[in-house]
């Protein structure tokens, strides 16, 4: 067996004499390092977004703030993007920049090259409303600030053929769309059926556009949206459908008449989330598709846009009686428009004339012939959409209708987005005013309803009370103002003067 090598026999090994140290000369040992802090780390394959220069220090790292330590820039940016969605919605901006820009580009491809370049060079391009092309007239692009003339040259048949060749088939309602987008192309035809004009409206999915109505949607009651054309009813109802399906995990079916909610094509737009869609082949069959959605697909909520006929109102009433949450829009500006509409008054319970006895008339202080609600309302609550940032909420639609028929001012909540995207609420409760026998609401006429509406507007206009409301900040999400006293007296005087 080979003998082990000694230390002196090892190559390149230097030996040193042992050191002799006294206890007094021994150097003190450094303190042990602190225990390591183990933090969970999430690794993402997505490249982090660049931070603005104001958030970076000299060495390129995020600068520390007094409130929160910027540990993970990627998570901070993502969180900020999620929180910024309602703010963009309040200001009328689109959802993601990539999706909205791509969809807008597909709409602009309908225009000839020179017109497309003119639109793309406009400073308000992200807020484009629609493009109008009529045969023999100069084309127009409509923005929130007004109309913009694209060219002095009139539109020709070739321009219209170029546009119609890139969209889907026009239905009986003269509407078409672009697949996987929310844009709506409406045609104007001559007496022979040839297309002589196009209205190319931009459709956008705006996250957070239904935040003003979130509590009503969460309660599970049926909701009716009323508003003039172009105020954003379809945008709000699309976001409500996504909210019901994704946030509240309900089985949602959308009855899409003109593919405005879910977009054109067989595959719905991602703006509706996990909600499912039933397309209506013909507008006259919409009431049948409503019943089909209930009987075949077992939904918990049904969303429908533009109830306009008596058959559709009857179908909606049948659905509401089956315990299904119904969210719909209707033609009209205010609740009074539905009461005076013989085709849609069923949505608010219907109106009938009732003859009272002498004792009952004296007890109520009204004439013997009065108008009353015929039955239960189809919808639990209603919202009048005044603009993209303001709504008027009627929490109990039946109470509102009863008050209007009795000549009283209904309770209403006025809600609006604040300057920084926060929800700012103004609660206004009006006292029920009993009119004398000579002023009783025996006849429901447009003059009396419009007078009551003007009194409501003048007494509780947001512009008149805005000076008493402090602007909401990010730390204060909303401000409630309970209006009584002087403002209420003003409303009483206005109503009494009429």
């Amino acid at each position: 067996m080979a003998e082990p090598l000694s230390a002196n026999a090892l190559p390149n090994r230097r030996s040193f004499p042992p050191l002799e140290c006294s206890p007094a000369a021994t150097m003190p040992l450094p303190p042990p390092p602190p225990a390591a802090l183990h933090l969970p780390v999430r690794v993402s394959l997505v490249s982090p977004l660049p931070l603005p220069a104001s958030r970076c220090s000299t060495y390129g790292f995020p600068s520390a703030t007094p409130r929160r330590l910027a540990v993970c820039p990627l998570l901070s940016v993502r969180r900020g993007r999620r929180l910024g969605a309602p703010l963009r919605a309040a200001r009328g901006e689109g959802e993601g920049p990539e999706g909205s820009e791509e969809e807008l580009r597909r709409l602009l491809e309908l225009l000839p090259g020179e017109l497309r370049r003119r639109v793309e060079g406009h400073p308000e391009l992200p807020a484009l409303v629609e493009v109008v092309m009529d045969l023999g007239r100069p084309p127009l692009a409509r923005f929130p600030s007004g109309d913009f003339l694209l060219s002095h040259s009139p539109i020709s048949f070739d321009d219209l053929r170029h546009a119609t060749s890139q969209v889907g088939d026009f239905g009986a309602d003269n509407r078409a769309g672009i697949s996987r987008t929310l844009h709506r192309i409406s045609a104007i035809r001559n007496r022979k059926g040839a297309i002589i004009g196009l209205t190319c409206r931009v459709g956008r999915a705006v996250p957070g556009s239904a935040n003003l109505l979130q509590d009503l949607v969460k309660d599970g009651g049926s909701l009716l949206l009323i508003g003039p054309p172009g105020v954003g009813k379809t945008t709000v109802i699309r976001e409500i459908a996504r909210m019901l399906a994704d946030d509240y995990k309900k089985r949602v079916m959308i009855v899409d008449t003109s593919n405005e909610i879910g977009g054109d094509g067989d595959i719905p737009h991602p703006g509706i989330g996990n909600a499912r869609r039933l397309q209506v082949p013909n507008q006259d069959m919409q009431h049948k598709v409503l019943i089909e959605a209930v009987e075949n697909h077992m939904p918990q909520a049904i969303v429908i846009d533009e109830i306009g006929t008596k058959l559709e109102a009857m179908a909606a009433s049948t659905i509401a009686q089956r315990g299904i949450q119904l969210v719909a829009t209707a033609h009209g500006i205010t609740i009074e428009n539905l009461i005076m509409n013989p085709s849609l008054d069923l949505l608010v319970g219907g109106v009938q004339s009732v003859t009272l006895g002498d004792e009952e008339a004296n007890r109520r202080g009204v004439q013997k012939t009065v108008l009353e609600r015929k039955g239960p309302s189809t919808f639990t609550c209603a919202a009048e959409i005044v603009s993209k940032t303001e709504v008027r909420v009627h929490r109990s639609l039946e109470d509102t209708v009863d008050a209007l028929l009795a000549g009283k001012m209904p309770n209403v909540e006025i809600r609006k987005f604040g300057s920084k995207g926060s929800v700012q609420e103004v609660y206004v409760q009006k006292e029920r005013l009993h009119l004398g026998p000579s002023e009783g609401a025996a006849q429901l006429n447009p003059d009396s309803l419009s007078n009551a509406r003007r009194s409501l507007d003048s007494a509780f206009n947001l512009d008149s009370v805005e000076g008493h409301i402090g602007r909401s900040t990010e730390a204060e999400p909303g401000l409630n103002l309970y209006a009584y006293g002087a403002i209420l007296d003003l409303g009483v005087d206005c109503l009494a003067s009429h």
Side-chain angles (χ1 to χ4, degrees):
M1 172 178 283
E3 296 181 358
L5 296 176
S6 62
N8 295 332
L10 293 177
N12 302 326
R13 183 71 179 267
R14 297 180 61 186
S15 59
F16 297 93
L19 296 177
E20 297 181 359
C21 299
S22 61
T26 303
M27 297 294 294
L29 296 177
L37 179 62
H38 299 280
L39 294 176
V41 177
R42 185 175 68 179
V43 179
S44 175
L45 299 180
V46 183
S47 58
L49 298 176
L51 292 176
S54 59
R55 294 286 305 276
C56 298
S57 61
T58 307
Y59 300 98
F61 295 99
S63 58
T65 59
R67 294 185 177 180
R68 181 173 57 189
L69 180 62
V71 178
C72 182
L74 179 59
L75 298 181
S76 300
V77 172
R78 285 181 175 175
R79 186 179 295 112
R81 291 174 66 184
R82 287 199 300 269
L83 294 177
L87 177 58
R88 292 194 303 269
R91 296 178 179 176
E93 301 176 10
E95 48 173 359
E98 299 84 1
S100 59
E101 290 180 1
E102 174 62 22
E103 292 185 11
L104 184 58
R105 183 192 62 81
R106 296 185 61 184
L107 177 69
L108 297 181
E109 288 180 353
L110 306 181
L111 306 178
E114 182 61 30
L115 301 184
R116 183 168 63 251
R117 286 188 290 271
R118 289 272 294 171
V119 176
E120 292 174 347
H122 197 278
E124 295 184 60
L125 176 62
L128 177 65
V129 178
E130 61 185 11
V131 177
V132 176
M133 295 188 293
D134 292 332
L135 180 65
R137 291 185 174 183
L140 296 175
R142 291 174 176 168
F143 296 92
S145 59
D147 294 349
F148 176 70
L149 184 64
L150 296 179
S151 174
H152 292 283
S153 302
I155 293 295
S156 63
F157 273 114
D158 293 337
D159 298 331
L160 297 177
R161 280 194 292 266
H162 171 76
T164 55
S165 63
Q166 303 183 56
V167 301
D169 298 331
F170 287 89
D173 54 357
N174 285 320
R175 292 181 179 181
I178 304 174
S179 180
R180 303 297 301 275
T181 70
L182 301 173
H183 308 312
R184 189 183 74 188
I185 315 300
S186 302
I188 299 177
R189 299 179 183 269
N190 60 12
R191 302 177 68 179
K192 297 182 179 180
I195 296 178
I196 59 174
L198 290 175
T199 302
C200 307
R201 174 169 292 186
V202 180
R204 298 180 179 90
V206 184
S209 57
N211 284 355
L212 292 176
L213 306 173
Q214 185 173 1
D215 57 330
L216 305 178
V217 176
K218 185 179 180 181
D219 290 343
S222 296
L223 175 62
L224 178 63
L225 303 179
I226 308 170
V231 78
K233 297 189 302 296
T234 305
T235 303
V236 174
I237 205 173
R238 183 187 302 116
E239 176 64 10
I240 291 178
R242 185 210 60 78
M243 185 184 300
L244 287 170
D246 294 355
D247 299 345
Y248 304 125
K249 308 301 179 183
K250 289 190 175 183
R251 299 188 300 270
V252 182
M253 291 296 301
I254 299 175
V255 178
D256 209 352
T257 308
S258 301
N259 290 348
E260 285 193 79
I261 301 178
D264 200 61
D266 297 333
I267 302 176
H269 191 272
I272 66 173
N274 293 324
R276 304 177 68 191
R277 177 180 65 166
L278 278 177
Q279 298 187 24
V280 181
N282 191 336
Q283 192 171 6
D284 297 334
M285 299 177 59
Q286 179 164 280
H287 63 284
K288 297 181 179 180
V289 179
L290 278 171
I291 302 300
E292 176 189 342
V294 178
E295 295 178 348
N296 294 353
H297 304 286
M298 199 173 62
Q300 294 175 311
I302 289 183
V303 177
I304 177 176
D305 196 12
E306 295 184 0
I307 297 179
T309 65
K310 193 161 190 174
L311 291 175
E312 296 168 6
M314 293 175 62
S317 178
T318 302
I319 293 173
Q321 297 303 324
R322 298 187 185 186
I324 298 175
Q325 184 177 5
L326 185 64
V327 181
T329 64
H331 301 282
I333 301 178
T334 61
I335 304 295
E336 294 93 322
N337 298 138
L338 297 183
I339 297 176
M340 294 184 293
N341 191 335
S343 299
L344 301 180
D345 62 353
L346 184 60
L347 299 178
V348 296
V351 180
Q352 63 181 356
S353 179
V354 178
T355 301
L356 304 176
D358 295 337
E359 295 182 1
E360 181 66 16
N362 293 332
R363 187 182 68 83
R364 295 189 185 185
V366 297
Q367 297 180 359
K368 295 185 63 175
T369 303
V370 297
L371 294 174
E372 292 184 352
R373 180 167 45 87
K374 184 183 300 184
S377 175
T378 302
F379 296 88
T380 308
C381 50
E384 301 172 1
I385 302 181
V386 181
S387 65
K388 296 182 184 300
T389 59
E390 180 183 341
V391 296
R392 294 179 177 179
V393 174
H394 301 265
R395 283 191 172 270
S396 177
L397 184 55
E398 293 183 354
D399 291 344
T400 296
V401 175
D402 293 342
L404 291 174
L405 294 178
K408 306 171 185 176
M409 297 179 64
N411 295 338
V412 64
E413 298 176 8
I414 302 177
R415 305 180 180 184
K416 65 182 297 186
F417 281 111
S419 58
K420 297 184 179 180
S422 58
V423 178
Q424 188 179 53
E425 302 178 357
V426 179
Y427 288 91
V428 181
Q429 296 182 344
K430 286 158 289 301
E431 183 179 290
R432 297 181 177 272
L433 305 175
H434 294 273
L435 303 180
S438 61
E439 299 174 317
Q443 298 292 333
L444 179 65
N445 55 75
D447 294 336
S448 61
L449 290 176
S450 60
N451 291 340
R453 169 62 57 179
R454 283 196 298 269
S455 301
L456 175 63
D457 293 340
S458 61
F460 301 100
N461 196 333
L462 278 178
D463 296 335
S464 62
V465 301
E466 205 165 42
H468 303 281
I469 302 175
R471 284 293 183 182
S472 301
T473 61
E474 294 181 357
E476 300 175 355
L479 179 64
N480 300 340
L481 176 66
Y482 297 87
Y484 297 97
I487 300 180
L488 184 59
D489 293 338
L490 175 60
V492 174
D493 295 340
C494 291
L495 184 61
S497 64
H498 292 288

